[in-house]
Amino acid sequence: MEASKNEGDVAREIAGMLLKIGAIKINTENPFTWSSGWLSPIYCDNRLALSYPSIRNYIKKQLAEAVNFYFPIVEAIAGVATAGIPQGALVADLLGLPFLYIRSKAKGHGLENLVEGKVVREQRVVILEDLVSTGGSSLNAAEALKSNGMQVLGMVAIFSYGFEISNKNFRHAGVELHTLSNYQILIEEAINQNYVSGEKLALLQSWREAPDKWKP
Amino acid sequence: MEASKNEGDVAREIAGMLLKIGAIKINTENPFTWSSGWLSPIYCDNRLALSYPSIRNYIKKQLAEAVNFYFPIVEAIAGVATAGIPQGALVADLLGLPFLYIRSKAKGHGLENLVEGKVVREQRVVILEDLVSTGGSSLNAAEALKSNGMQVLGMVAIFSYGFEISNKNFRHAGVELHTLSNYQILIEEAINQNYVSGEKLALLQSWREAPDKWKP
């Protein structure tokens, strides 16, 4: 399986880059509070990678390759607001494809839409996302494109925590998701590179299994 | 003045492109309601240009040229959410510079910031904006960067209505603004190309002079 071996290399490479620029913050004693209210020992800010041109380029090329590999009949790229927009636009640019983006909610006046850009019915679109946690907002974006008559081929994201709830939500919505890197590889890299001590591994894994109930 | 002659050509070219793809909607009988509550005979949706790769490329190159010409000491590009993010990222990519973006408001939890990306104090940043109306949200973005210790060299936008209130707001904030195209050239092009009849010119000009009081 050459393809998956290569994917493993890319996943480790990206995890390593995100750790190196401080985009991954791990704090098991004083956890972060997510927008969902969940406590989490980890916070992942991929947006920092936008400020490092060589890392941004590497991610752009890997995203574009994944789009071409998994969805070769793609006709347009759509980015999920806000963090999926910049890399989405760069991928559309690299592939020479139309770009659209999906707001999290309409601005509530005039001609504002959830989907910005030119909606072409039946057009085959791949969604670009920054980070998938429960999949809620990512799948809302897919739903917005579908309800505008577009054909959603699937989604490519930089990173996913790999929560069971997310897998279930994507299966239920019938949306194929591919990610460049993921939580399991990230914590392995974090331990390999001494960003966190090996004894934290069990704790970090237990969080991923029940993030809604976890306490430090 | 070769530079300004060239700028006039670009301004007309972009206005023509936006008209051609239907990004400019003009309706003097049933005006649009803007988020500010203003009635307007015009609605400008530059985001449609993102779905036309050749137009998107043309705008990207013109934005990048304007950044280099007016702000040659630029060290980073910042896009204003939401519409300034995609073109901002493309310009940063073309120039090989770090990219950041500025939310309209913080998400209100955890580590979320108004400014996303790597904030480097004293770094010289140029703001990329889609469309300037009163300048309020654009200048809030400039303020957010300044309050993070960044050095705002100025702003480049695709389009401005050229309202007096906007000119005043930019002067007051001390932010240098350059735009690729503007309302005056747009309405001239719209009339030249028969998108709107010449007899509407006076009405369209009167709106621009007092957009807060205008009624159809």
Side-chain angles (χ1 to χ4, degrees):
Chain A
M1 292 281 288
E2 270 311 301
S4 55
K5 177 178 177 292
N6 180 42
E7 281 181 8
D9 292 345
V10 171
R12 271 183 292 277
E13 190 111 36
I14 288 177
M17 287 171 168
L18 294 174
L19 286 162
K20 195 175 156 197
I21 62 172
I24 310 293
K25 293 178 175 70
I26 297 177
N27 192 328
T28 50
E29 280 81 29
N30 298 298
F32 307 99
T33 305
W34 287 11
S35 54
S36 57
W38 291 1
L39 290 177
S40 169
I42 190 160
Y43 186 82
C44 184
D45 182 4
N46 298 341
R47 295 158 299 207
L48 283 177
L50 297 168
S51 299
Y52 296 83
S54 64
I55 296 175
R56 184 180 69 203
N57 269 334
Y58 180 82
I59 293 174
K60 170 180 76 171
K61 284 173 191 162
Q62 296 303 331
L63 288 169
E65 275 186 28
V67 169
N68 270 341
F69 183 78
Y70 291 108
F71 309 108
I73 58 170
V74 59
E75 295 174 313
I77 299 292
V80 182
T82 320
I85 298 179
Q87 276 292 358
L90 296 179
V91 169
D93 183 61
L94 187 61
L95 299 177
L97 293 174
F99 180 67
L100 305 95
Y101 66 83
I102 310 111
R103 299 182 181 284
S104 48
K105 53 185 170 187
K107 284 164 80 180
H109 65 89
L111 299 181
E112 296 294 347
N113 252 316
L114 275 179
V115 179
E116 301 287 1
K118 174 84 172 161
V119 170
V120 179
R121 291 186 70 83
E122 302 301 326
Q123 195 177 44
R124 295 185 290 248
V125 61
V126 172
I127 303 173
L128 263 284
E129 177 59 294
D130 174 43
L131 184 150
V132 173
S133 53
T134 64
S137 55
S138 311
L139 289 169
N140 281 346
E143 197 46 48
L145 292 170
K146 287 178 188 172
S147 71
N148 274 276
M150 300 189 83
Q151 223 187 111
V152 174
L153 298 179
M155 192 180 302
V156 177
I158 299 173
F159 186 85
S160 167
Y161 289 100
F163 298 138
E164 184 44 38
I165 176 82
S166 160
N167 300 338
K168 197 174 143 190
N169 286 342
F170 274 86
R171 271 198 308 275
H172 187 255
V175 174
E176 185 180 334
L177 171 68
H178 298 278
T179 61
L180 298 187
S181 194
N182 60 66
Y183 183 71
Q184 186 58 38
I185 283 176
L186 178 74
I187 57 177
E188 286 167 20
E189 276 297 293
I191 289 167
N192 285 344
Q193 299 190 18
N194 296 315
Y195 285 96
V196 62
S197 71
E199 66 201 30
K200 302 285 188 191
L201 181 61
L203 180 148
L204 289 167
Q205 281 175 329
S206 75
W207 168 74
R208 206 263 297 263
E209 283 155 26
D212 52 334
K213 300 184 188 84
W214 186 85
K215 278 182 184 163
Chain B
M1 292 279 287
E2 270 311 300
S4 55
K5 178 178 175 293
N6 180 43
E7 281 182 7
D9 292 345
V10 170
R12 269 182 292 276
E13 190 112 35
I14 288 177
M17 288 171 167
L18 294 174
L19 286 163
K20 194 174 155 196
I21 62 172
I24 310 294
K25 293 179 178 67
I26 297 177
N27 192 328
T28 50
E29 281 81 29
N30 298 297
F32 308 99
T33 305
W34 286 12
S35 55
S36 55
W38 290 2
L39 291 177
S40 168
I42 190 160
Y43 186 81
C44 185
D45 182 3
N46 298 341
R47 293 159 300 206
L48 283 177
L50 297 168
S51 298
Y52 296 83
S54 64
I55 297 176
R56 184 181 68 205
N57 270 333
Y58 180 82
I59 293 174
K60 170 180 74 172
K61 284 172 192 162
Q62 296 303 330
L63 288 169
E65 275 187 28
V67 169
N68 271 341
F69 182 80
Y70 292 108
F71 309 109
I73 57 170
V74 59
E75 294 175 313
I77 299 292
V80 182
T82 324
I85 297 179
Q87 278 291 358
L90 295 179
V91 168
D93 183 60
L94 187 61
L95 300 177
L97 293 176
F99 181 67
L100 306 96
Y101 64 84
I102 310 111
R103 298 183 182 282
S104 47
K105 53 185 171 189
K107 285 166 80 180
H109 64 88
L111 300 181
E112 296 293 347
N113 252 318
L114 276 181
V115 179
E116 300 287 1
K118 174 84 172 162
V119 170
V120 179
R121 291 186 69 82
E122 302 300 326
Q123 195 177 43
R124 295 183 291 247
V125 60
V126 172
I127 303 173
L128 263 284
E129 177 59 294
D130 174 44
L131 185 148
V132 173
S133 52
T134 64
S137 54
S138 311
L139 289 168
N140 281 346
E143 197 45 49
L145 292 169
K146 287 178 189 173
S147 71
N148 273 276
M150 300 190 82
Q151 220 187 112
V152 175
L153 298 180
M155 192 180 303
V156 176
I158 299 173
F159 186 85
S160 168
Y161 289 100
F163 297 138
E164 184 44 39
I165 176 82
S166 159
N167 300 339
K168 197 175 143 190
N169 286 341
F170 275 87
R171 270 197 310 274
H172 186 257
V175 174
E176 184 181 335
L177 170 68
H178 297 278
T179 61
L180 297 187
S181 195
N182 60 65
Y183 183 71
Q184 185 59 36
I185 283 175
L186 177 74
I187 57 176
E188 286 167 19
E189 275 298 292
I191 289 168
N192 285 343
Q193 299 190 17
N194 295 314
Y195 284 96
V196 63
S197 70
E199 66 200 31
K200 302 286 189 191
L201 181 62
L203 180 149
L204 289 167
Q205 282 176 328
S206 75
W207 168 74
R208 206 261 299 263
E209 283 155 25
D212 52 334
K213 299 183 190 85
W214 185 85
K215 279 183 182 161

